[in-house]
Amino acid sequence: MTTASTPSTPADVARTEPVRATDGASRTGTTLQYLRYVAGKLGGAAVSLFAVLVTSFFLFRIIPGDPVKAMTQGVPTSAEQLATLRRQFGLDLPMWQQFTDYCAKALSGDLGTSYQFHAPVGDLIAQKLPATLLLTGVAVVLYSALGLWLGTRSAWNHGGLGDKVSTGVALTLWSVPSFWLGLLLITVFSVGVGPIPGLFPTGGMESGTGETGFAYALDVAHHMVLPVVTLVAVGYAQTLLVMRSSLLDEMGSDYLTTARAKGLRDDAVRRRHAVPNALLPTVTMIFINLGHVAAGSILVETVFSWPGLGGLFYQALSVPDLPLVQGLFVVFAGAMIVMNLIADLLYPLLDPRVGR
């Protein structure tokens, strides 16, 4: 025999509906909190970008040297011609007017015209950007993954031989200047020392022999080995140390003891519980590293003659080519601001306590 269901009474409805209303209000409040958090972060990013524009304009104007004289070096030029060039590039205008013109153009996407190359700065950056993204993008992916993996294992087995060795090597390589390490690798593996033959090119992105397809990809990869190794060797230590420190802070938590008490294996406790909760500071580091992808590494690209934005920045500083230097600085800093903003917006999704 089946029993008929008892109809809901007004008391039952009264007991359940306020809970639903409370749940809806809670979700609405959480959404509003997140929107306020996003608005604050967007406002902070806008202020930072304006500060970058101000800094890029005034910072590079204290560099010694006259751009017009640098451009005409070795060419007989009269005072009238120098004055014409200064007027042509707007260098004869008052400083405040140069600044307002620069900000107006930059906000509209016009970064000016290079003194040195007589081409739009945006076009020059677009030409060199792929080479930098290739080199530093590969390096960032490799040293972020390596730092996370080694940092996790160093923390989980802290105090052991592996932890001491990996941490000591990381600290040593982190303290080594990247350009010095690059020169050392060129000396040993490009020029050759003793029984070690020269295995890799000394610089550049390709051999220039006209390869296409897979042969060209192999040629570029061959040229990338030493600069990528240099960037990875210097860069992975920071991710390792941040991940190690974060995981060590989590290892004494009660929830890990509870997970072990439920019978979970040590590997599962680390992978499912400890590492996800220790990732928050490391997420910041990874996104900062991604911001470095646009900037590349000026010193490493210069040492290895890599045709990217780093080498272009070095060329622009040598003149000084003010529009090109300013444009590159804005791109470098803007990439960092955007990546930091993305990391900030992801925080509440990883840890709901953030932003409340």
Side-chain angles (χ1 to χ4, degrees):
M1 177 183 296
T2 58
T3 304
S5 60
T6 303
S8 299
T9 64
D12 294 330
V13 175
R15 282 196 298 269
T16 57
E17 287 190 353
V19 174
R20 294 175 184 173
T22 301
D23 291 343
S26 177
R27 286 194 295 269
T28 302
T30 302
T31 302
L32 290 175
Q33 286 179 346
Y34 182 69
L35 290 177
R36 284 195 294 266
Y37 176 80
V38 170
K41 293 300 179 181
L42 289 174
V47 172
S48 298
L49 185 58
F50 179 74
V52 166
L53 290 176
V54 175
T55 304
S56 66
F57 180 82
F58 291 103
L59 177 63
F60 298 110
R61 275 165 172 72
I62 64 176
I63 299 175
D66 186 342
V68 173
K69 289 184 178 179
M71 285 186 291
T72 58
Q73 188 174 7
V75 179
T77 309
S78 65
E80 290 78 9
Q81 290 173 321
L82 292 175
T84 301
L85 287 173
R86 289 192 177 90
R87 185 167 55 254
Q88 178 182 346
F89 293 121
L91 297 174
D92 62 329
L93 297 174
M95 188 66 68
W96 67 267
Q97 189 172 347
Q98 292 184 43
F99 175 68
T100 55
D101 291 346
Y102 165 70
C103 288
K105 291 180 179 179
L107 292 175
S108 65
D110 182 6
L111 298 176
T113 302
S114 168
Y115 299 160
Q116 186 177 5
F117 299 99
H118 305 288
V121 170
D123 292 347
L124 293 172
I125 293 175
Q127 291 172 10
K128 300 292 185 179
L129 183 60
T132 291
L133 292 180
L134 176 63
L135 177 65
T136 55
V138 170
V140 165
V141 169
L142 289 177
Y143 71 64
S144 295
L146 182 63
L148 284 172
W149 183 69
L150 290 177
T152 299
R153 275 148 185 80
S154 292
W156 206 250
N157 303 291
H158 65 283
L161 179 61
D163 176 35
K164 293 178 181 178
V165 171
S166 63
T167 305
V169 171
L171 287 172
T172 301
L173 290 175
W174 196 16
S175 63
V176 172
S178 59
F179 72 90
W180 182 84
L181 181 59
L183 291 173
L184 182 63
L185 292 177
I186 289 174
T187 302
V188 176
F189 296 105
S190 293
V191 179
V193 174
I196 303 176
L199 301 174
F200 301 99
T202 57
M205 184 176 174
E206 57 185 72
S207 300
T209 53
E211 293 95 342
T212 57
F214 185 67
Y216 175 75
L218 285 178
D219 183 42
V220 173
H222 190 218
H223 284 75
M224 285 178 60
V225 171
L226 292 185
V228 166
V229 168
T230 302
L231 291 172
V232 170
V234 175
Y236 87 97
Q238 193 173 19
T239 307
L240 182 152
L241 294 173
V242 171
M243 187 62 194
R244 181 181 182 274
S245 176
S246 300
L247 191 53
L248 284 175
D249 290 340
E250 296 291 331
M251 286 179 62
S253 301
D254 293 336
Y255 70 89
L256 297 183
T257 304
T258 304
R260 291 189 180 96
K262 290 180 177 180
L264 289 179
R265 292 183 303 172
D266 197 59
D267 181 66
V269 172
R270 182 187 71 238
R271 188 178 63 256
R272 297 180 188 177
H273 298 279
V275 170
N277 285 286
L279 275 178
L280 199 60
T282 313
V283 166
T284 303
M285 189 62 55
I286 291 174
F287 275 93
I288 289 175
N289 291 340
L290 289 175
H292 286 154
V293 170
S297 177
I298 297 172
L299 295 177
V300 172
E301 287 193 9
T302 302
V303 167
F304 287 97
S305 302
W306 190 263
L309 295 181
L312 185 64
F313 189 75
Y314 178 80
Q315 286 180 286
L317 279 175
S318 63
V319 173
D321 189 339
L322 294 179
L324 185 53
V325 170
Q326 290 169 176
L328 287 168
F329 184 82
V330 168
V331 169
F332 295 164
M336 294 295 299
I337 292 172
V338 170
M339 290 298 109
N340 194 40
L341 175 63
I342 293 174
D344 286 339
L345 297 182
L346 285 177
Y347 281 171
L349 304 179
L350 298 173
D351 187 347
R353 295 171 298 178
V354 178
R356 291 187 176 180

